[in-house]
Amino acid sequence: MSDVTLAVTVLWVFLFTYSILGSIDFGAGFWSMLYGGKHHSKAGALANRYLSPTWEVTNVFLVLFVVALVGFFPHATHILGGALLVPVSLVLLLLLIRSTFMVYAYSVAKYGRLLNVVSGITGLLIPGLLVSVLPITLGGFVTLTDGVPELHMLELFTSTTEYAHLGFGLSTELFMSALFLADYSREAGDEETYLDYRRLAMIWGPVNLVMALLTVSTLSTHAPWIVEGFKRNGLWFGFSVLAFIAAYILLLIKREDGRRGYPRASVIAVVIQYGLASYAYFSAHMPYMVYPHLTFDEGITNPAMFRSLFIGYIVSSAILVPVFYMFWRLFLKDKRYLQPEKN
């Protein structure tokens, strides 16, 4: 593999991991806010129980992605920094607000409901804003004047492509989080809450698929170059749709014990679905980082620095993977945490 291919692979792994964990995390915050009242207290409490130990961990992968992006592609920071300054700054501001309110939500009981509302709303907006960065890289919104990048905000926020990406990001968040919380509920032995989140996943799954198709349709006029890339990678997108169908069927199957659905297998199928789709998207996007101004080859660091960074990421991953596995076992599988004793 070339240095560029290896660097892009590292970026893809970090971005894909964060997109999955972030969708679950931010979506759980929204469901915690929505079901925080007395009528759905069990569903809200379960989402809160998941958020309590995990929301700090999820952002680690965002930091790893940003550090890898700057480290592997330092020559791209000039264009990316100028083009993405406003949307990324908004994301960081919302992350700061959400993190602050999440801390107070667990320590100040008097304002717990209000703080949950704020963290839930910001958690709903962040994934949409993150996904909305993608249209900027597709061309048409960034121009170079004497080498200085300029983002045309008016054209961006009046573009159907931008709002299609926003809708896709929001629907992805709500679908992934509902499906995962369904599995989390089953693991906790709460069948009633499982049925609530299973119903939400079955609603938002088709919505997410429709939003993906609408997003692609808006690109046919805005970015025909990447649509051609989608056609070249059509087989991978086809496999992705098959994985989604398999995930949906797994939620419908009636088990031998009379219960309906295999949520764990469905979650795995959906992760595979997004993995295949994101791989196909990245392949279609190559070789451009920001079309048509910057390619990955132009932004890559020198070979010596690349080797040092790559070895560093291998060593750090060897340390982090077991740590995250132990974290998963402790907070997401341990029955003592999943099924706390009732007072």
Side-chain angles (χ1 to χ4, degrees):
M1 281 189 179
S2 67
D3 289 354
V4 171
T5 302
L6 288 172
V8 171
T9 301
V10 172
L11 290 178
W12 176 80
V13 170
F14 288 147
L15 183 60
F16 174 67
T17 303
Y18 179 73
S19 65
I20 296 296
L21 296 180
S23 293
I24 296 171
D25 177 58
F26 295 129
F30 174 75
W31 298 126
S32 175
M33 177 193 72
L34 187 65
Y35 290 143
K38 295 182 179 180
H39 183 63
H40 293 285
S41 58
K42 292 177 67 177
L46 185 129
N48 231 7
R49 202 181 311 153
Y50 167 78
L51 280 172
S52 180
T54 58
W55 64 274
E56 307 99 326
V57 176
T58 301
N59 290 330
V60 170
F61 290 96
L62 179 60
V63 174
L64 288 172
F65 172 77
V66 173
V67 172
L69 178 63
V70 175
F72 285 131
F73 299 97
H75 306 301
T77 55
H78 173 63
I79 291 181
L80 290 177
L84 304 181
L85 178 63
V86 174
V88 171
S89 296
L90 287 174
V91 169
L92 291 177
L93 177 62
L94 288 174
L95 279 173
L96 175 63
I97 294 173
R98 182 175 190 266
S99 299
T100 302
F101 277 95
M102 288 289 286
V103 170
Y104 282 102
Y106 294 120
S107 58
V108 184
K110 179 180 179 181
Y111 301 104
R113 179 57 183 163
L114 174 62
L115 301 178
N116 277 337
V117 169
V118 174
S119 64
I121 292 175
T122 54
L124 189 66
L125 295 175
I126 290 170
L129 285 173
L130 286 172
V131 174
S132 71
V133 169
L134 293 177
I136 298 175
T137 68
L138 298 179
F141 301 117
V142 177
T143 57
L144 294 180
T145 305
D146 296 328
V148 178
E150 180 183 359
L151 175 62
H152 300 283
M153 299 292 294
L154 180 61
E155 287 84 349
L156 178 65
F157 287 106
T158 55
S159 168
T160 55
T161 298
E162 170 70 7
Y163 292 103
H165 278 80
L166 278 170
F168 176 69
L170 294 177
S171 61
T172 298
E173 168 191 359
L174 297 176
F175 171 51
M176 279 295 305
S177 58
L179 182 59
F180 179 85
L181 289 174
D183 176 54
Y184 195 59
S185 305
R186 174 66 65 81
E187 190 72 28
D190 190 340
E191 196 67 17
E192 180 183 352
T193 302
Y194 161 72
L195 293 174
D196 286 339
Y197 282 119
R198 172 181 173 271
R199 174 178 54 82
L200 289 170
M202 295 185 68
I203 292 172
W204 282 101
V207 172
N208 185 230
L209 187 61
V210 170
M211 286 306 305
L213 295 174
L214 287 175
T215 302
V216 173
S217 69
T218 63
L219 295 176
S220 59
T221 55
H222 175 73
W225 68 272
I226 200 169
V227 175
E228 292 300 316
F230 290 163
K231 293 177 181 178
R232 292 194 302 269
N233 292 274
L235 185 62
W236 293 108
F237 284 114
F239 287 146
S240 175
V241 173
L242 290 177
F244 169 79
I245 294 172
Y248 210 79
I249 292 174
L250 285 166
L251 287 178
L252 296 172
I253 296 176
K254 191 172 184 180
R255 300 159 57 111
E256 293 180 359
D257 57 8
R259 297 184 298 176
R260 193 171 292 277
Y262 291 87
R264 178 63 50 80
S266 184
V267 169
I268 294 173
V270 167
V271 171
I272 293 173
Q273 171 206 346
Y274 281 100
L276 293 170
S278 62
Y279 169 78
Y281 183 90
F282 260 75
S283 297
H285 208 289
M286 295 289 284
Y288 295 102
M289 294 187 75
V290 179
Y291 180 88
H293 307 294
L294 179 67
T295 65
F296 284 98
D297 290 307
E298 294 169 343
I300 192 71
T301 187
N302 62 77
M305 179 61 72
F306 170 80
R307 286 192 294 271
S308 299
L309 289 169
F310 191 70
I311 292 172
Y313 274 108
I314 291 176
V315 173
S316 61
S317 297
I319 297 172
L320 285 174
V321 168
V323 171
F324 282 117
Y325 176 74
M326 289 187 288
F327 173 83
W328 174 273
R329 298 292 303 180
L330 178 62
F331 290 107
L332 304 180
K333 296 289 289 183
D334 195 318
K335 297 294 184 182
R336 292 169 296 180
Y337 182 77
L338 289 170
Q339 299 173 342
E341 294 181 6
K342 296 180 180 180
N343 295 328

